[in-house]
Amino acid sequence: MNDEHYMREAIAQAQAASARGEVPVGAVIVNSEGDIIAQTGNAPIGIVDPTAHAEILAIRDAAYSTDNYRLNTCTLYVTLEPCTMCAGAISNARLSRVVYGAADIKGGAVENGVKFFEQATCHHRPDVTGGVLAEECAALLKNFFKARRRK
């Protein structure tokens, strides 16, 4: 399996989040054997939790499923560049790699904004690959907000 395969799984989670009225961001965590150990979409509205970003929920699920808060052999696939909160969680979980789809110029914190993993105070820096199926991931967000503005 390759990055595009897993990103398509994350896109499916984003689409499910959108169907629930959540901002369409999806995340998948894959272990070193290539097995998906967590998959989810944004849920701050549904579970009334401002920290319920897809990345945070996936990290929690992966930690529970592995019975380990350190996910140092795992890769996170997420449809949107992680924000500062999520970048901090990624670092604390010691994820080995992060693959994201669309860049987030306003809220992103990996290659935009604060560039969290480049800070001297960052304890763990995963390998980062951005732009995987970026157009498809960005289209989900654009279409979601376009439809919301019409209402």
Side-chain angles (χ1 to χ4, degrees):
M1 309 282 178
N2 61 22
D3 288 347
E4 287 189 8
H5 169 79
Y6 295 114
M7 187 60 72
R8 290 198 188 288
E9 295 293 328
I11 288 169
Q13 294 299 316
Q15 291 167 329
S18 180
R20 296 189 306 270
E22 301 280 358
V23 173
V25 177
V28 170
I29 296 182
V30 178
N31 67 16
S32 59
E33 289 81 40
D35 300 320
I36 295 174
I37 60 170
Q39 54 188 339
T40 189
N42 266 0
I45 298 166
I47 64 174
V48 194
D49 179 354
T51 69
H53 290 195
E55 301 96 309
I56 300 290
L57 296 174
I59 288 168
R60 287 177 185 159
D61 288 351
Y64 293 144
S65 75
T66 61
D67 197 30
N68 193 340
Y69 73 102
R70 295 279 169 93
L71 302 171
N72 58 339
T73 62
C74 298
T75 299
L76 167 70
Y77 291 86
V78 61
T79 57
L80 183 64
E81 177 183 354
C83 70
T84 306
M85 175 182 69
C86 292
I90 289 163
S91 181
N92 282 314
R94 306 296 197 266
L95 283 155
S96 64
R97 188 166 176 245
V98 174
V99 179
Y100 71 85
D104 186 353
I105 294 167
K106 288 183 180 179
V110 176
E111 293 185 8
N112 290 290
V114 299
K115 299 182 181 178
F116 187 89
F117 301 128
E118 294 179 20
Q119 302 305 311
T121 55
C122 180
H123 298 293
H124 172 77
R125 294 167 182 82
D127 291 331
V128 175
T129 302
V132 175
L133 300 177
E135 290 179 18
E136 197 171 330
C137 293
L140 283 171
L141 291 157
K142 287 176 186 171
N143 293 337
F144 177 82
F145 287 112
K146 188 177 185 178
R148 272 198 151 171
R149 284 190 296 274
R150 282 191 207 135
K151 290 182 180 181

